[in-house]
Amino acid sequence: MASFDIVSKVDPQTLENAVNTAKKELQTRYDLRDTKGGIDLDKKANTILLSSENSMRVKALEDILLGRVVKQGIDGTALDFSADEQPSGNLVKKTIKVRAGVDKEAGRKIVKAIKDAKLKVEAQMQDDQVRVSAKKIDDLQAVIALLRRTDIGQPLQFVNMKS
């Protein structure tokens, strides 16, 4: 049987390049030149920490980061901006999670979308990915086309196509 895996991952080197470019832009922007704090990437926790004096400047840091991430070719939905800002002394900090892996809710959406399309394929959750298998490769290509049109809420990649 032919199969492929649906995953959601971000290349760590590309993400690091985007963060470093955002840091350089932060130093050259006139309105943010003398600010305390900045942008820090935590590779182990897969998070990005934004810090500045007030929430308006944190929003500006978000815009800079998002612009640089998109220019590096990373989908903007890979970053989770939903966390609230926390005051920490005289700084305001915000932690942004980088989405890695298909979470359970997104996996359910993917499986439901595939089943609602009534294609002759079988989809199943496996840890942080979804495996889709079928007898014909054409059915698998139809699933890929369907999922590219569907908004799941995070970027998807299609890997390990086996026939």
Side-chain angles (χ1 to χ4, degrees):
M1 287 184 79
S3 67
F4 71 91
D5 296 331
I6 303 169
V7 297
S8 179
K9 58 185 174 182
V10 175
D11 181 35
Q13 184 62 47
T14 307
L15 181 65
E16 185 176 2
N17 290 343
V19 169
N20 289 337
T21 309
K23 285 181 184 179
K24 287 180 183 177
E25 183 177 337
L26 175 65
Q27 293 171 352
T28 60
R29 290 242 330 230
Y30 181 75
D31 57 339
L32 300 172
R33 187 170 295 157
D34 295 327
T35 61
K36 294 180 179 86
I39 303 172
D40 295 313
L41 174 66
D42 185 1
K43 294 179 189 177
K44 291 182 182 175
N46 215 15
T47 60
I48 301 170
L49 178 69
L50 305 177
S51 58
S52 189
E53 287 96 5
N54 56 35
S55 60
M56 183 183 77
R57 288 190 175 169
V58 171
K59 287 284 188 197
L61 291 177
E62 284 180 16
D63 293 339
I64 291 170
L65 178 66
L66 186 61
R68 290 300 162 185
V69 164
V70 170
K71 281 187 180 180
Q72 288 286 337
I74 299 172
D75 193 346
T77 58
L79 302 178
D80 184 13
F81 290 102
S82 64
D84 293 331
E85 301 169 349
Q86 301 100 13
S88 173
N90 60 352
L91 293 178
V92 176
K93 295 183 178 182
K94 183 170 185 176
T95 303
I96 299 170
K97 292 181 184 175
V98 180
R99 293 184 178 140
V102 178
D103 58 352
K104 291 188 181 209
E105 187 169 324
R108 285 189 205 118
K109 284 182 185 177
I110 292 169
V111 171
K112 184 179 182 318
I114 292 171
K115 286 185 179 180
D116 289 346
K118 298 187 180 182
L119 297 169
K120 294 182 180 180
V121 297
E122 186 177 317
Q124 57 190 0
M125 281 290 298
Q126 293 181 344
D127 294 330
D128 60 348
Q129 66 183 12
V130 177
R131 174 152 297 164
V132 181
S133 55
K135 291 183 181 178
K136 298 180 182 177
I137 292 181
D138 293 339
D139 293 335
L140 296 179
Q141 290 173 340
V143 169
I144 292 173
L146 169 77
L147 292 176
R148 289 194 184 191
R149 290 189 307 262
T150 307
D151 181 29
I152 301 298
Q154 68 185 88
L156 300 175
Q157 291 87 31
F158 309 101
V159 296
N160 295 340
M161 180 76 121
K162 298 175 186 171
S163 56

